Amino acid sequence: MADKIIFRDLEVRAVLGHDSWERKKSQPLVITAEIHTSIASAGRTDKVTESVHYGNACKRVMAFAESEHKLQSLEALAEGIVRTCLGVTERALAVHVIARKPRALLHAKYAGVEVFRTRKEVFGSWGADPVQETGETDDEFAQRSAAATAERLAAERAAGELATEDRIVVRKLSLSTIIGVNLWERHAKQIVDFDLTMHYPKPTYVGGAGGVVRDSVPAYRNFRTVVEAITELVEKSSYRTVEALATAIARTGVKECRVPKLTVRVEKPSALVFAACSAVEITRTTDDFAAPLVDSLTPSSGSADAQSDVASVATSTHGMHNAYVALGTNVGDRLANLHRALTLLNTTVPNTQLAETSFLYETAPMYVTDQPAFLNSACLLRTALEPLALLDELKRIEAEMGRDFSMFRNGPRVIDLDILFYDELVMATERLTIPHALVHERRFQLGPLCDINRELMHQRLGNSAAALYRHLTTHSNAPDDIVRVTPLQTRSHTGADSNEDPVVLQTMVPATQKQTIFMGILNCTPDSFSDGGDYFSLDDAVSRARQLVADGANIIDIGGQSTRPGAVQVGVEEEISRVVPVVRALRDQKITVPISIDTFYAKVAEAALDAGADIINDVTGGYFDQAMLPLVAARQCPYILMHMRGDPATMTKLNDYSQYSGDVVRGTRFELAQRVRSALDHGVARWNIILDPGIGFAKEGAQNFEILRRLPELTARHIRAPVTDRSGKPEVHGENQEGFIDENLPAELVGYPVLVGSSRKRFIGVATGKAEAKDRTWGTAATVTSAVQGGAAIVRVHDVAEMVDVARVSDCIYRAQ
């Protein structure tokens, strides 16, 4: 029996979270409830008391919805409506509730929540079992008991898919986009309507007389965040097929906004002359967008390395909690303080593992402004500890690192560790509030948090971390006092007091960087393609380094192993003998600029760091020597991670990118993302990674120009597929582009600084007709200008003095001044 008592489209007014203008004002809500019960007795006796009185149910729901309940979300309102309906009478066995907000979004008809709950789920039991009445025979009582059991079973079965999931729906989201294959459709946007259904697992109930939802507060599932991400995608896209557009939307919702299951319906109202619309509907889950490991034509050790990384992460995080922790310091060597805190978090906190770090930010002090600037970051911990136990461990680390707890609140401190979020937990005790009570007003906490998970929901405020950060940026008077920085040195080489904070940080964000950073090339080799043998002796190398610094080099990059095409590997000991004396001599002579060691051997890198080098420049991105990434993590040094295939002897044969539809940029992005994912999984701090697309490495001439032309795409959130001509060759990029590609990157590359090393390379010689590498200076100048325009933070060059002039003018044209 599947009887229902229904009231549909009950209109109420309530303050419930934010309206479409981000205001907390009274809003219209529309509620539909289907109360599952048996009307057999009422149908037989015609007595209202034998059924659920829809009038009473409707009045109670209206009174609840318009009361001062202080609920923030549709999810919480739906839970309240369920309890209200089930509270009318024990005859109410289950409730199907649909609650809609017609004014929730500017461009949609409504947003809503759909839930199904049985009495047993909510209250822990069905209520009183039938009792045999006076004069009732055993057979009659058995029949009545069986009927009651059947009614309860029917109520459970009526849930269908809602037995295991709740749904958030957005209906008729109308957006403008380029969509279609006809000529006129490629030149004019048209309105497309979208229906979104987000499927989430049901909350877990704790039994008992007053069964409650786990954590007491129904979790926010913010439809605004999903709609904002999808709107941005749709309005910038230009897909040819509705199928591709629907898939891209599903990927954005599932992979970027972390919706576990999403149904997307796309309608083109203008597609057919004699029909209302054409449409495509798909349902996708996280399994549909799992990032595969692609063989990127690297040595077998690299593939095994990547696979072991994934396996270790998968096994080590099972059954653990996600705790997001903010780190801040403004006393002494701030960078060293952060590194030490991360090490202690990863090695001394029981049943806890460091999983991810943010970028690094320098921020002005807040609340108490008369103190030094802070360095701030955030990290994600996988932990089995409960929140208060984790808090105890954080306080222990603060004490161990020397924090003075007698200092006035918000004063200078060697380290400050705050729990910002812990899963979706909402709690408030005298010692700890989760989510952190002030995170919504702190750019220095929200910025780093967005690097790790911008879709993280604040379960009290009903907004994602990204939305809260954007609100601080656009809707408040809070000063813009947070700057992303990248370390180029992890220690001082000036001989200053070790307690002082060495000058190590550079802004490398295209929006804020004002001047290009120069890496001067110092090849201590007999066979480099451009200057082999010129600086092979120690005296010549030191003299050359001094000249590079005088010419304007901000970094000296020392190499003892040629990576030109076809170069033969010289071995670890030989390479150490070439570079370590140079590093040591430069430090002995008080050359204090950062020194980079250009090597793919971990032992060479370690020896150079011990001698005074600061940066590891690894052309293989850590795949050639499996000891490299653990070394970088342990030494906590800046790391230039380059894209390459094979080794110098084989890379020229590995420039086929057909597995990426011939798109070298797409292939470079994906394979770089694999190496970044491996580096992060090994514990390399995100702020220590600098990307290099590998100009000339496993790329033939035209591919290098393509990389330079499309350099901004390397770290874009999405890239477009190029339109091809009839022969299959890509047309020039510009407006004639397809919609965004579904890449499934193993790690997001947004925000990482980029280094470009194009100096004097062969593809420049082919374009200019200059056979000698030393004659390619002005061809190199054009590539440097292109790199600056494309947002590169660092250029690696031979001719520093000339390229400084080129880049300074380019900086004035292309960078914010």
Side-chain angles (χ1 to χ4, degrees):
M1 187 178 297
D3 300 340
K4 303 176 188 176
I5 299 296
I6 302 168
F7 61 85
R8 183 168 64 85
D9 295 345
L10 170 66
E11 297 183 7
V12 299
R13 294 167 60 91
V15 176
L16 187 71
H18 300 90
D19 65 9
S20 52
W21 286 272
E22 293 290 330
R23 303 172 304 186
K24 283 198 170 185
K25 291 191 174 183
S26 183
Q27 306 159 49
L29 301 174
V30 180
I31 299 165
T32 294
E34 298 180 350
I35 304 171
H36 291 250
T37 185
S38 171
I39 66 166
S41 179
R44 185 174 58 253
T45 65
D46 200 21
K47 294 181 179 179
V48 174
T49 56
E50 295 297 306
S51 180
V52 177
H53 194 304
Y54 55 80
N56 288 340
C58 189
K59 288 177 183 177
R60 290 195 186 188
V61 168
M62 177 176 285
F64 166 73
E66 297 187 342
S67 67
E68 294 185 8
H69 45 63
K70 296 183 179 180
L71 298 175
Q72 298 293 313
S73 68
L74 277 170
E75 299 93 317
L77 179 74
E79 290 287 346
I81 294 171
V82 164
R83 292 176 179 277
T84 300
C85 291
L86 293 176
V88 173
T89 172
E90 281 196 2
R91 294 182 182 276
L93 301 178
V95 184
H96 179 196
V97 171
I98 302 172
R100 308 197 305 270
K101 289 176 71 173
R103 296 292 183 267
L105 297 161
L106 288 174
H107 300 291
K109 185 176 181 180
Y110 67 83
V113 171
E114 185 176 7
V115 302
F116 188 100
R117 302 285 187 266
T118 66
R119 173 173 292 276
K120 185 177 181 180
E121 281 180 318
V122 176
F123 297 120
S125 72
W126 290 104
D129 290 326
V131 177
Q132 189 167 5
E133 298 174 355
T134 303
E136 186 178 29
T137 66
D138 291 344
D139 287 344
E140 290 172 337
F141 174 64
Q143 290 178 4
R144 191 160 58 86
S145 297
T149 300
E151 290 165 4
R152 293 169 178 177
L153 182 60
E156 284 184 326
R157 289 176 174 172
E161 291 183 350
L162 288 171
T164 58
E165 67 181 36
D166 292 343
R167 296 171 184 166
I168 295 179
V169 298
V170 174
R171 293 292 179 259
K172 202 172 182 181
L173 175 65
S174 296
L175 302 172
S176 297
T177 188
I178 297 290
I179 182 71
V181 296
N182 294 313
L183 181 61
W184 55 89
E185 291 181 307
R186 305 309 300 165
H187 289 278
K189 288 188 174 184
Q190 58 181 294
I191 296 294
V192 181
D193 295 329
F194 304 88
D195 286 349
L196 309 173
T197 302
M198 303 162 223
H199 309 257
Y200 291 97
K202 265 190 178 181
T204 303
Y205 283 78
V206 179
V212 295
V213 181
R214 178 182 58 83
D215 298 336
S216 300
V217 179
Y220 271 108
R221 308 299 184 191
N222 193 359
F223 58 85
R224 294 180 188 278
T225 300
V226 181
V227 169
E228 286 171 0
I230 288 172
T231 299
E232 180 181 10
L233 171 77
V234 171
E235 292 185 339
K236 291 180 180 179
S237 69
S238 56
Y239 288 98
R240 292 178 175 268
T241 66
V242 177
E243 291 86 341
L245 177 58
T247 302
I249 291 171
R251 178 192 177 279
T252 298
V254 170
K255 192 163 186 186
E256 293 186 27
C257 301
R258 310 194 184 199
V259 179
K261 180 180 176 183
L262 180 63
T263 298
V264 178
R265 182 181 178 89
V266 183
E267 295 185 352
K268 284 180 65 177
S270 58
L272 300 170
V273 176
F274 297 106
C277 71
S278 64
V280 167
E281 182 174 299
I282 63 172
T283 299
R284 296 291 185 267
T285 68
T286 51
D287 292 339
D288 294 309
F289 299 106
L293 285 172
V294 174
D295 178 10
S296 54
L297 302 178
T298 59
S300 59
S301 60
S303 299
D305 179 33
Q307 291 172 7
S308 65
D309 291 342
V310 173
S312 65
V313 171
T315 56
S316 63
T317 59
H318 179 68
M320 307 288 270
H321 300 282
N322 291 332
Y324 295 86
V325 175
L327 302 89
T329 172
N330 71 336
V331 174
D333 187 337
R334 300 173 300 167
L335 189 60
N337 294 342
L338 291 180
H339 284 149
R340 185 183 177 201
L342 289 177
T343 298
L344 292 173
L345 285 169
N346 198 40
T347 60
T348 70
V349 179
N351 302 314
T352 298
Q353 189 177 37
L354 179 65
E356 195 97 22
T357 52
S358 70
F359 290 112
L360 191 63
Y361 295 83
E362 190 163 42
T363 64
M366 193 174 182
Y367 308 121
V368 178
T369 58
D370 185 19
Q371 57 179 315
F374 278 82
L375 274 187
N376 290 99
S377 65
C379 69
L380 169 61
L381 300 177
R382 313 278 193 203
T383 183
L385 298 180
E386 291 300 311
L388 290 174
L390 179 60
L391 177 64
D392 290 338
E393 291 295 324
L394 300 189
K395 294 302 177 186
R396 174 187 62 77
I397 290 174
E398 289 179 341
E400 184 175 332
M401 290 185 60
R403 179 171 180 178
D404 183 359
F405 291 99
S406 66
M407 179 71 68
F408 57 89
R409 182 174 176 81
N410 297 319
R413 42 209 181 271
V414 65
I415 195 67
D416 186 19
L417 303 174
D418 288 328
I419 302 174
L420 302 181
F421 292 85
Y422 182 98
D423 291 338
E424 295 179 338
L425 180 65
V426 175
M427 67 176 287
T429 69
E430 186 176 346
R431 295 186 61 212
L432 180 63
T433 298
I434 298 177
H436 191 283
L438 299 177
V439 67
H440 63 285
E441 65 181 43
R442 293 178 169 180
R443 190 181 274 113
F444 64 84
Q445 290 181 338
L446 285 172
L449 191 64
C450 288
D451 295 335
I452 301 173
N453 183 0
R454 65 183 183 277
E455 305 305 334
L456 190 65
M457 285 299 303
H458 192 300
Q459 295 296 330
R460 278 198 174 90
L461 301 180
N463 264 322
S464 66
L468 293 171
Y469 187 78
R470 185 174 59 253
H471 182 80
L472 275 182
T473 304
T474 60
H475 291 84
S476 78
N477 295 321
D480 188 7
D481 54 1
I482 174 172
V483 179
R484 184 184 295 173
V485 292
T486 300
L488 293 180
Q489 284 181 313
T490 57
R491 54 195 163 157
S492 173
H493 299 294
T494 63
D497 189 324
S498 60
N499 290 324
E500 295 182 8
D501 192 12
V503 180
V504 298
L505 305 173
Q506 289 281 351
T507 298
M508 296 192 191
V509 178
T512 56
Q513 183 176 357
K514 294 185 177 181
Q515 288 194 332
T516 300
I517 297 168
F518 288 91
M519 173 181 278
I521 299 170
L522 179 55
N523 288 319
C524 302
T525 61
D527 57 345
S528 289
F529 79 95
S530 174
D531 53 5
D534 289 356
Y535 314 111
F536 194 49
S537 73
L538 180 59
D539 289 343
D540 288 341
V542 172
S543 177
R544 177 59 176 168
R546 286 189 171 280
Q547 185 61 53
L548 289 172
V549 173
D551 289 343
N554 308 106
I555 307 167
I556 303 297
D557 188 45
I558 301 175
Q561 156 77 47
S562 176
T563 54
R564 61 179 172 79
V568 178
Q569 297 171 33
V570 300
V572 172
E573 297 305 322
E574 175 64 21
E575 191 173 339
I576 289 175
S577 71
R578 292 178 180 182
V579 299
V580 168
V582 179
V583 175
R584 190 175 292 119
L586 293 178
R587 291 307 182 210
D588 288 344
Q589 296 187 29
K590 306 303 180 185
I591 293 180
T592 60
V593 299
I595 292 177
S596 167
I597 180 66
D598 182 0
T599 184
F600 44 75
Y601 290 120
K603 288 185 177 179
V604 176
E606 184 174 25
L609 292 174
D610 291 340
D614 304 284
I615 304 167
I616 298 174
N617 181 9
D618 181 0
V619 298
T620 73
Y623 77 72
F624 192 87
D625 186 343
Q626 291 192 36
M628 182 64 86
L629 294 179
L631 171 69
V632 177
R635 298 300 290 264
Q636 298 170 330
C637 60
Y639 181 61
I640 299 169
L641 186 155
M642 199 187 82
H643 173 261
M644 182 185 183
R645 291 173 165 185
D647 56 37
T650 63
M651 64 183 182
T652 56
K653 302 175 182 178
L654 302 177
N655 57 16
D656 180 5
Y657 291 84
S658 57
Q659 66 190 114
Y660 305 102
S661 302
D663 190 337
V664 65
V665 175
R666 183 181 172 194
T668 301
R669 271 169 61 93
F670 190 94
E671 292 169 15
L672 261 181
Q674 283 185 312
R675 300 317 307 157
V676 169
R677 181 72 269 158
S678 184
L680 294 174
D681 290 344
H682 274 93
V684 176
R686 188 188 301 258
W687 62 69
N688 278 328
I689 298 175
I690 299 169
L691 303 182
D692 181 345
I695 300 291
F697 289 81
K699 300 168 188 73
E700 56 87 23
Q703 292 172 330
N704 295 303
F705 289 115
E706 184 77 355
I707 291 283
L708 286 169
R709 182 165 51 247
R710 297 169 56 194
L711 191 63
E713 295 182 36
L714 189 70
T715 54
R717 202 173 302 282
H718 306 286
I719 68 171
R720 296 176 183 271
V723 172
T724 57
D725 60 22
R726 292 182 178 179
S727 66
K729 294 182 179 180
E731 294 180 359
V732 175
H733 276 252
E735 294 184 357
N736 294 326
Q737 292 174 314
E738 303 278 3
F740 294 110
I741 298 171
D742 180 2
E743 294 180 285
N744 292 325
L745 294 183
E748 190 175 77
L749 301 182
V750 175
Y752 287 95
V754 175
L755 177 150
V756 169
S758 55
S759 184
R760 299 183 178 179
K761 289 188 175 177
R762 181 182 300 174
F763 75 103
I764 297 174
V766 172
T768 61
K770 304 291 186 182
E772 292 294 324
K774 292 181 180 180
D775 295 334
R776 300 169 186 165
T777 301
W778 301 114
T780 298
T783 67
V784 167
T785 297
S786 177
V788 173
Q789 183 183 21
I794 306 172
V795 292
R796 181 178 181 272
V797 295
H798 297 84
D799 306 294
V800 174
E802 294 86 345
M803 294 309 110
V804 166
D805 287 349
V806 170
R808 289 297 171 257
V809 176
S810 300
D811 289 338
C812 291
I813 299 171
Y814 299 116
R815 298 194 193 276
Q817 298 297 318

